[in-house]
PDB file of all heavy atoms in Angstrom:
ATOM      1  N   ASP A 347      16.138  -1.683 -34.802  1.00 91.00           N
ATOM      2  CA  ASP A 347      15.759  -1.658 -36.218  1.00 91.00           C
ATOM      3  C   ASP A 347      16.199  -2.966 -36.869  1.00 91.00           C
ATOM      4  O   ASP A 347      17.132  -3.623 -36.403  1.00 91.00           O
ATOM      5  CB  ASP A 347      16.413  -0.473 -36.921  1.00 91.00           C
ATOM      6  CG  ASP A 347      15.984   0.853 -36.312  1.00 91.00           C
ATOM      7  OD1 ASP A 347      14.767   1.057 -36.158  1.00 91.00           O
ATOM      8  OD2 ASP A 347      16.865   1.664 -35.967  1.00 91.00           O
ATOM      9  N   ALA A 348      15.535  -3.341 -37.947  1.00 90.00           N
ATOM     10  CA  ALA A 348      15.900  -4.574 -38.647  1.00 90.00           C
ATOM     11  C   ALA A 348      17.357  -4.479 -39.107  1.00 90.00           C
ATOM     12  O   ALA A 348      17.712  -3.556 -39.841  1.00 90.00           O
ATOM     13  CB  ALA A 348      14.986  -4.781 -39.840  1.00 90.00           C
ATOM     14  N   PRO A 349      18.223  -5.392 -38.661  1.00 90.00           N
ATOM     15  CA  PRO A 349      19.635  -5.317 -39.070  1.00 90.00           C
ATOM     16  C   PRO A 349      19.779  -5.450 -40.581  1.00 90.00           C
ATOM     17  O   PRO A 349      19.088  -6.247 -41.217  1.00 90.00           O
ATOM     18  CB  PRO A 349      20.275  -6.513 -38.347  1.00 90.00           C
ATOM     19  CG  PRO A 349      19.346  -6.826 -37.207  1.00 90.00           C
ATOM     20  CD  PRO A 349      17.978  -6.499 -37.725  1.00 90.00           C
ATOM     21  N   ARG A 350      20.692  -4.647 -41.150  1.00 91.00           N
ATOM     22  CA  ARG A 350      20.976  -4.699 -42.586  1.00 91.00           C
ATOM     23  C   ARG A 350      22.398  -5.213 -42.786  1.00 91.00           C
ATOM     24  O   ARG A 350      23.338  -4.657 -42.225  1.00 91.00           O
ATOM     25  CB  ARG A 350      20.829  -3.318 -43.202  1.00 91.00           C
ATOM     26  CG  ARG A 350      19.408  -2.778 -43.107  1.00 91.00           C
ATOM     27  CD  ARG A 350      19.331  -1.294 -43.447  1.00 91.00           C
ATOM     28  NE  ARG A 350      19.812  -1.025 -44.801  1.00 91.00           N
ATOM     29  CZ  ARG A 350      19.928   0.200 -45.293  1.00 91.00           C
ATOM     30  NH1 ARG A 350      19.634   1.243 -44.557  1.00 91.00           N
ATOM     31  NH2 ARG A 350      20.372   0.368 -46.518  1.00 91.00           N
ATOM     32  N   GLU A 351      22.548  -6.263 -43.495  1.00 93.00           N
ATOM     33  CA  GLU A 351      23.826  -6.916 -43.820  1.00 93.00           C
ATOM     34  C   GLU A 351      24.443  -7.590 -42.601  1.00 93.00           C
ATOM     35  O   GLU A 351      24.645  -8.792 -42.580  1.00 93.00           O
ATOM     36  CB  GLU A 351      24.831  -5.937 -44.443  1.00 93.00           C
ATOM     37  CG  GLU A 351      26.120  -6.646 -44.886  1.00 93.00           C
ATOM     38  CD  GLU A 351      27.167  -5.700 -45.440  1.00 93.00           C
ATOM     39  OE1 GLU A 351      26.851  -4.523 -45.709  1.00 93.00           O
ATOM     40  OE2 GLU A 351      28.316  -6.160 -45.593  1.00 93.00           O
ATOM     41  N   SER A 352      24.768  -6.795 -41.562  1.00 93.00           N
ATOM     42  CA  SER A 352      25.442  -7.417 -40.410  1.00 93.00           C
ATOM     43  C   SER A 352      25.269  -6.559 -39.166  1.00 93.00           C
ATOM     44  O   SER A 352      24.944  -5.376 -39.236  1.00 93.00           O
ATOM     45  CB  SER A 352      26.935  -7.615 -40.709  1.00 93.00           C
ATOM     46  OG  SER A 352      27.517  -6.381 -41.066  1.00 93.00           O
ATOM     47  N   VAL A 353      25.516  -7.214 -38.022  1.00 95.00           N
ATOM     48  CA  VAL A 353      25.547  -6.548 -36.709  1.00 95.00           C
ATOM     49  C   VAL A 353      26.971  -6.662 -36.207  1.00 95.00           C
ATOM     50  O   VAL A 353      27.576  -7.750 -36.265  1.00 95.00           O
ATOM     51  CB  VAL A 353      24.575  -7.229 -35.719  1.00 95.00           C
ATOM     52  CG1 VAL A 353      24.733  -6.647 -34.320  1.00 95.00           C
ATOM     53  CG2 VAL A 353      23.138  -7.090 -36.207  1.00 95.00           C
ATOM     54  N   SER A 354      27.553  -5.566 -35.735  1.00 95.00           N
ATOM     55  CA  SER A 354      28.946  -5.612 -35.279  1.00 95.00           C
ATOM     56  C   SER A 354      29.030  -5.554 -33.761  1.00 95.00           C
ATOM     57  O   SER A 354      28.170  -4.985 -33.084  1.00 95.00           O
ATOM     58  CB  SER A 354      29.741  -4.446 -35.880  1.00 95.00           C
ATOM     59  OG  SER A 354      29.273  -3.205 -35.380  1.00 95.00           O
ATOM     60  N   LEU A 355      30.089  -6.171 -33.257  1.00 95.00           N
ATOM     61  CA  LEU A 355      30.370  -6.163 -31.822  1.00 95.00           C
ATOM     62  C   LEU A 355      31.864  -5.922 -31.661  1.00 95.00           C
ATOM     63  O   LEU A 355      32.681  -6.665 -32.217  1.00 95.00           O
ATOM     64  CB  LEU A 355      29.962  -7.509 -31.201  1.00 95.00           C
ATOM     65  CG  LEU A 355      30.164  -7.695 -29.706  1.00 95.00           C
ATOM     66  CD1 LEU A 355      29.443  -6.637 -28.905  1.00 95.00           C
ATOM     67  CD2 LEU A 355      29.675  -9.082 -29.285  1.00 95.00           C
ATOM     68  N   ARG A 356      32.222  -4.880 -30.928  1.00 95.00           N
ATOM     69  CA  ARG A 356      33.627  -4.486 -30.797  1.00 95.00           C
ATOM     70  C   ARG A 356      34.162  -4.806 -29.409  1.00 95.00           C
ATOM     71  O   ARG A 356      33.437  -4.814 -28.429  1.00 95.00           O
ATOM     72  CB  ARG A 356      33.765  -2.984 -31.059  1.00 95.00           C
ATOM     73  CG  ARG A 356      33.338  -2.583 -32.454  1.00 95.00           C
ATOM     74  CD  ARG A 356      33.645  -1.125 -32.748  1.00 95.00           C
ATOM     75  NE  ARG A 356      32.899  -0.210 -31.915  1.00 95.00           N
ATOM     76  CZ  ARG A 356      33.138   1.088 -31.829  1.00 95.00           C
ATOM     77  NH1 ARG A 356      34.134   1.620 -32.511  1.00 95.00           N
ATOM     78  NH2 ARG A 356      32.405   1.868 -31.061  1.00 95.00           N
ATOM     79  N   GLY A 357      35.481  -5.056 -29.362  1.00 94.00           N
ATOM     80  CA  GLY A 357      36.173  -5.204 -28.086  1.00 94.00           C
ATOM     81  C   GLY A 357      35.976  -6.537 -27.396  1.00 94.00           C
ATOM     82  O   GLY A 357      36.273  -6.658 -26.205  1.00 94.00           O
ATOM     83  N   LEU A 358      35.502  -7.535 -28.106  1.00 95.00           N
ATOM     84  CA  LEU A 358      35.246  -8.838 -27.500  1.00 95.00           C
ATOM     85  C   LEU A 358      36.479  -9.721 -27.617  1.00 95.00           C
ATOM     86  O   LEU A 358      36.910 -10.062 -28.725  1.00 95.00           O
ATOM     87  CB  LEU A 358      34.045  -9.505 -28.192  1.00 95.00           C
ATOM     88  CG  LEU A 358      33.575 -10.835 -27.610  1.00 95.00           C
ATOM     89  CD1 LEU A 358      33.016 -10.647 -26.208  1.00 95.00           C
ATOM     90  CD2 LEU A 358      32.515 -11.461 -28.529  1.00 95.00           C
ATOM     91  N   ARG A 359      37.060 -10.089 -26.496  1.00 94.00           N
ATOM     92  CA  ARG A 359      38.236 -10.970 -26.515  1.00 94.00           C
ATOM     93  C   ARG A 359      37.839 -12.442 -26.662  1.00 94.00           C
ATOM     94  O   ARG A 359      38.632 -13.251 -27.107  1.00 94.00           O
ATOM     95  CB  ARG A 359      39.037 -10.791 -25.223  1.00 94.00           C
ATOM     96  CG  ARG A 359      39.809  -9.473 -25.125  1.00 94.00           C
ATOM     97  CD  ARG A 359      40.864  -9.599 -24.028  1.00 94.00           C
ATOM     98  NE  ARG A 359      41.671  -8.399 -23.892  1.00 94.00           N
ATOM     99  CZ  ARG A 359      41.566  -7.522 -22.902  1.00 94.00           C
ATOM    100  NH1 ARG A 359      40.649  -7.704 -21.961  1.00 94.00           N
ATOM    101  NH2 ARG A 359      42.350  -6.468 -22.839  1.00 94.00           N
ATOM    102  N   ASN A 360      36.621 -12.773 -26.236  1.00 94.00           N
ATOM    103  CA  ASN A 360      36.191 -14.175 -26.277  1.00 94.00           C
ATOM    104  C   ASN A 360      36.065 -14.705 -27.699  1.00 94.00           C
ATOM    105  O   ASN A 360      35.803 -13.954 -28.636  1.00 94.00           O
ATOM    106  CB  ASN A 360      34.810 -14.338 -25.623  1.00 94.00           C
ATOM    107  CG  ASN A 360      34.772 -13.890 -24.199  1.00 94.00           C
ATOM    108  OD1 ASN A 360      34.702 -12.699 -23.927  1.00 94.00           O
ATOM    109  ND2 ASN A 360      34.796 -14.841 -23.284  1.00 94.00           N
ATOM    110  N   LYS A 361      36.187 -16.013 -27.815  1.00 95.00           N
ATOM    111  CA  LYS A 361      35.770 -16.708 -29.031  1.00 95.00           C
ATOM    112  C   LYS A 361      34.262 -16.936 -28.930  1.00 95.00           C
ATOM    113  O   LYS A 361      33.731 -17.242 -27.868  1.00 95.00           O
ATOM    114  CB  LYS A 361      36.497 -18.050 -29.141  1.00 95.00           C
ATOM    115  CG  LYS A 361      36.119 -18.844 -30.375  1.00 95.00           C
ATOM    116  CD  LYS A 361      36.777 -20.208 -30.360  1.00 95.00           C
ATOM    117  CE  LYS A 361      36.234 -21.059 -31.500  1.00 95.00           C
ATOM    118  NZ  LYS A 361      36.656 -22.464 -31.391  1.00 95.00           N
ATOM    119  N   VAL A 362      33.561 -16.754 -30.041  1.00 96.00           N
ATOM    120  CA  VAL A 362      32.103 -16.937 -30.071  1.00 96.00           C
ATOM    121  C   VAL A 362      31.785 -18.359 -30.521  1.00 96.00           C
ATOM    122  O   VAL A 362      32.243 -18.813 -31.575  1.00 96.00           O
ATOM    123  CB  VAL A 362      31.447 -15.907 -31.009  1.00 96.00           C
ATOM    124  CG1 VAL A 362      29.964 -16.223 -31.202  1.00 96.00           C
ATOM    125  CG2 VAL A 362      31.629 -14.508 -30.439  1.00 96.00           C
ATOM    126  N   GLU A 363      31.029 -19.060 -29.695  1.00 96.00           N
ATOM    127  CA  GLU A 363      30.649 -20.443 -30.017  1.00 96.00           C
ATOM    128  C   GLU A 363      29.478 -20.494 -30.998  1.00 96.00           C
ATOM    129  O   GLU A 363      29.455 -21.300 -31.917  1.00 96.00           O
ATOM    130  CB  GLU A 363      30.241 -21.182 -28.729  1.00 96.00           C
ATOM    131  CG  GLU A 363      31.303 -21.176 -27.637  1.00 96.00           C
ATOM    132  CD  GLU A 363      32.341 -22.248 -27.851  1.00 96.00           C
ATOM    133  OE1 GLU A 363      32.187 -23.037 -28.793  1.00 96.00           O
ATOM    134  OE2 GLU A 363      33.324 -22.291 -27.086  1.00 96.00           O
ATOM    135  N   ARG A 364      28.473 -19.596 -30.769  1.00 97.00           N
ATOM    136  CA  ARG A 364      27.259 -19.674 -31.581  1.00 97.00           C
ATOM    137  C   ARG A 364      26.478 -18.379 -31.425  1.00 97.00           C
ATOM    138  O   ARG A 364      26.511 -17.748 -30.366  1.00 97.00           O
ATOM    139  CB  ARG A 364      26.397 -20.858 -31.122  1.00 97.00           C
ATOM    140  CG  ARG A 364      25.292 -21.251 -32.080  1.00 97.00           C
ATOM    141  CD  ARG A 364      24.729 -22.625 -31.694  1.00 97.00           C
ATOM    142  NE  ARG A 364      23.931 -22.537 -30.481  1.00 97.00           N
ATOM    143  CZ  ARG A 364      22.667 -22.954 -30.396  1.00 97.00           C
ATOM    144  NH1 ARG A 364      22.055 -23.474 -31.450  1.00 97.00           N
ATOM    145  NH2 ARG A 364      22.001 -22.865 -29.274  1.00 97.00           N
ATOM    146  N   VAL A 365      25.765 -17.973 -32.478  1.00 97.00           N
ATOM    147  CA  VAL A 365      24.855 -16.828 -32.401  1.00 97.00           C
ATOM    148  C   VAL A 365      23.494 -17.271 -32.919  1.00 97.00           C
ATOM    149  O   VAL A 365      23.390 -17.845 -34.011  1.00 97.00           O
ATOM    150  CB  VAL A 365      25.364 -15.625 -33.247  1.00 97.00           C
ATOM    151  CG1 VAL A 365      24.384 -14.455 -33.128  1.00 97.00           C
ATOM    152  CG2 VAL A 365      26.751 -15.199 -32.810  1.00 97.00           C
ATOM    153  N   THR A 366      22.445 -17.022 -32.133  1.00 98.00           N
ATOM    154  CA  THR A 366      21.087 -17.376 -32.552  1.00 98.00           C
ATOM    155  C   THR A 366      20.154 -16.184 -32.330  1.00 98.00           C
ATOM    156  O   THR A 366      20.463 -15.263 -31.563  1.00 98.00           O
ATOM    157  CB  THR A 366      20.537 -18.583 -31.762  1.00 98.00           C
ATOM    158  OG1 THR A 366      20.660 -18.310 -30.359  1.00 98.00           O
ATOM    159  CG2 THR A 366      21.294 -19.859 -32.089  1.00 98.00           C
ATOM    160  N   VAL A 367      19.017 -16.232 -33.010  1.00 97.00           N
ATOM    161  CA  VAL A 367      17.974 -15.213 -32.825  1.00 97.00           C
ATOM    162  C   VAL A 367      17.015 -15.720 -31.752  1.00 97.00           C
ATOM    163  O   VAL A 367      16.422 -16.798 -31.900  1.00 97.00           O
ATOM    164  CB  VAL A 367      17.215 -14.955 -34.138  1.00 97.00           C
ATOM    165  CG1 VAL A 367      16.160 -13.865 -33.933  1.00 97.00           C
ATOM    166  CG2 VAL A 367      18.176 -14.577 -35.250  1.00 97.00           C
ATOM    167  N   LEU A 368      16.859 -14.939 -30.686  1.00 96.00           N
ATOM    168  CA  LEU A 368      15.905 -15.348 -29.645  1.00 96.00           C
ATOM    169  C   LEU A 368      14.489 -15.296 -30.212  1.00 96.00           C
ATOM    170  O   LEU A 368      14.143 -14.391 -30.970  1.00 96.00           O
ATOM    171  CB  LEU A 368      15.978 -14.409 -28.436  1.00 96.00           C
ATOM    172  CG  LEU A 368      17.024 -14.689 -27.361  1.00 96.00           C
ATOM    173  CD1 LEU A 368      16.673 -13.929 -26.089  1.00 96.00           C
ATOM    174  CD2 LEU A 368      17.165 -16.156 -27.046  1.00 96.00           C
TER     175      LEU A 368
END
Side-chain angles (χ1 to χ4, degrees):
D347 299 310
R350 297 168 59 185
E351 185 183 348
S352 56
V353 173
S354 66
L355 181 57
R356 299 187 295 169
L358 184 66
R359 287 197 178 106
N360 301 78
K361 180 185 172 190
V362 172
E363 304 278 356
R364 194 166 72 125
V365 180
T366 53
V367 182
L368 275 197

